[in-house]
Amino acid sequence: MGTLAAMMARTARLGRVDWIGIRPTRRGAVETPGKAILRFDGFEGDHAPEGKRSVTLIQAEHLPVIAALLARDAIDPGLLRRNVVIEGLNLLGFRKARLRIGEALIEVTGPCPPCSRMEEVLGPGGYTAMRGHGGVYATVLKEGLVSLGVTVAPEAGEGTA
């Protein structure tokens, strides 16, 4: 079974990048390239600040939940203003952990709460629908290329199954 720390770091499977979004300007349109360079201050061409919120990630599994809470069939990830949609990993389970995402290395620094903009883009109830489903933000520790379909995994030694 192992220690609590080992169990918390273990995954049943590896994650995968399903979507990449870059926002060149604040409140501007989201671009969706198939690949992008992740720099210390966020994706090349994105307006994110350097530091603990350089890159934002959301779980693919949360998108249908948000849609259901808003009585919609689906949600376009671009509306949510996150940089990366990850399928297959419980991102909140990796707070303070390091994740390899393609060639890059990030450290998940905390949950990414919704902002008031969610009411604007998702309509009434958008803010509440995002609570607990807003994903995480992270610091970039090693720059590198991130492409659609690349593996997302705990850094070696973090305890994968």
Side-chain angles (χ1 to χ4, degrees):
M1 187 174 315
T3 66
L4 179 59
M7 288 186 293
M8 288 175 61
R10 209 169 10 252
T11 63
R13 64 185 185 141
L14 300 178
R16 183 182 65 140
V17 173
D18 278 354
W19 182 90
I20 299 169
I22 294 175
R23 301 150 298 164
T25 60
R26 187 174 182 276
R27 298 180 71 93
V30 176
E31 298 174 3
T32 56
K35 60 184 176 181
I37 302 292
L38 187 54
R39 302 278 185 211
F40 291 118
D41 61 349
F43 279 105
E44 208 167 75
D46 194 54
H47 77 287
E50 187 170 342
K52 68 180 184 175
R53 295 182 184 220
S54 294
V55 62
T56 55
L57 305 96
I58 191 168
Q59 284 178 232
E61 294 81 0
H62 284 216
L63 299 178
V65 174
I66 296 165
L69 294 171
L70 293 170
R72 294 185 181 188
D73 292 333
I75 291 292
D76 174 0
L79 293 175
L80 307 181
R81 317 304 287 177
R82 303 303 185 254
N83 296 117
V84 186
V85 175
I86 304 293
E87 180 262 328
L89 278 185
N90 177 3
L91 293 173
L92 287 174
F94 286 98
R95 186 170 186 185
K96 305 296 181 196
R98 294 176 174 194
L99 297 175
R100 290 243 168 241
I101 178 170
E103 296 175 352
L105 178 66
I106 62 171
E107 182 176 68
V108 176
T109 50
C112 191
C115 65
S116 61
R117 181 99 196 268
M118 294 301 98
E119 285 287 306
E120 290 176 39
V121 298
L122 298 175
Y127 178 87
T128 301
M130 290 288 296
R131 292 187 72 200
H133 305 289
V136 297
Y137 50 84
T139 300
V140 178
L141 302 175
K142 179 183 177 284
E143 298 180 330
L145 180 67
V146 175
S147 304
L148 294 178
V150 297
T151 299
V152 181
E155 183 179 35
E158 293 277 344
T160 56

